[in-house]
Amino acid sequence: MHGIHWGDFPTWIAVFFAAVGGTVALIQLRQQGNVLKGEVERNKRRDELLDGQLSELRERALDRAREQAEHIVVVGWEHRAAWVRNNSGRPITKVAAGFVVPQPDGGVTTYHPSYWQEGVTLPLTASDDWFEGDAVKEVLPLGRQAMGHFEPDVPLDEEGWRLVRFDDDAGRRWQLDKYMHLEPAPDDSW
């Protein structure tokens, strides 16, 4: 009889164990894939959490950095002068005021005070200190105020930006506009 030869018993046992081993290997591979998918998902959630924490730390650091600068007040722009008061607990340095006028060619011209007067009260009196000949007030002690005087030929009645810039005691440069909007000052010449 010529029939199909189905092999011998040891071959069938080997095939059976190979099939079981292959099935076990596939199950383990699938489980490892699920473990890796779970690990990837946990890593994504951890990264999102860390990104949020880093963002919060950066915001806190900026808040701490702004703390002193937020106590500096531009009292006003009156009588051809910029009035600045240091309400912080530490001195500020390199106080500069500027009136920035746009030009027709797209550039700008910045006018600075010709001198500063420092005092304790407003209005400043003859007994207050005078610092003439410099557009920058080098140090404004805590609790003091200063007035930067602009020359009569400065066109303060034109459209422009009124800014006050200063360094906090950590050496960071800040600027305030006439609306008391506080921001880090750009890295330019004044």
Side-chain angles (χ1 to χ4, degrees):
M1 180 158 143
H2 289 28
I4 301 175
H5 181 60
W6 291 95
D8 56 5
F9 183 71
T11 302
W12 279 105
I13 294 292
V15 167
F16 172 76
F17 282 115
V20 169
T23 303
V24 169
L26 285 174
I27 290 171
Q28 288 177 340
L29 183 63
R30 192 172 298 134
Q31 287 174 341
Q32 286 177 346
N34 290 338
V35 167
L36 289 176
K37 285 180 188 176
E39 190 69 29
V40 166
E41 188 60 35
R42 280 190 298 280
N43 286 344
K44 284 182 184 178
R45 285 195 305 266
R46 185 187 67 227
D47 289 348
E48 289 170 1
L49 177 64
L50 288 174
D51 287 345
Q53 289 174 338
L54 287 173
S55 177
E56 185 178 329
L57 286 173
R58 280 191 292 271
E59 287 177 26
R60 284 184 192 171
L62 180 59
D63 286 346
R64 280 193 299 276
R66 290 176 59 105
E67 189 175 319
Q68 180 186 11
E70 288 175 342
H71 293 285
I72 309 306
V73 179
V74 176
V75 179
W77 286 79
E78 301 172 10
H79 310 293
R80 306 199 62 74
W83 302 70
V84 180
R85 183 173 38 228
N86 182 358
N87 290 334
S88 76
R90 297 178 300 274
I92 60 173
T93 59
K94 299 178 185 162
V95 181
F99 181 65
V100 183
V101 179
Q103 299 300 308
D105 65 359
V108 296
T109 299
T110 304
Y111 299 95
H112 298 284
S114 56
Y115 63 94
W116 285 86
Q117 182 182 11
E118 179 186 316
V120 179
T121 61
L122 289 177
L124 300 179
T125 64
S127 65
D128 291 318
D129 300 324
W130 289 83
F131 299 89
E132 295 198 39
D134 199 352
V136 175
K137 175 80 174 84
E138 285 301 320
V139 177
L140 183 58
L142 55 111
R144 303 278 294 190
Q145 49 206 357
M147 180 172 54
H149 296 270
F150 289 87
E151 293 296 325
D153 61 339
V154 175
L156 293 176
D157 54 341
E158 290 186 26
E159 287 295 315
W161 305 278
R162 291 166 169 82
L163 299 172
V164 170
R165 292 185 181 168
F166 60 92
D167 287 359
D168 64 16
D169 68 341
R172 289 178 291 261
R173 191 95 175 127
W174 298 95
Q175 80 180 17
L176 285 164
D177 63 17
K178 69 178 183 177
Y179 303 110
M180 291 298 295
H181 176 254
L182 177 67
E183 63 185 4
D187 188 20
D188 59 13
S189 62
W190 70 284

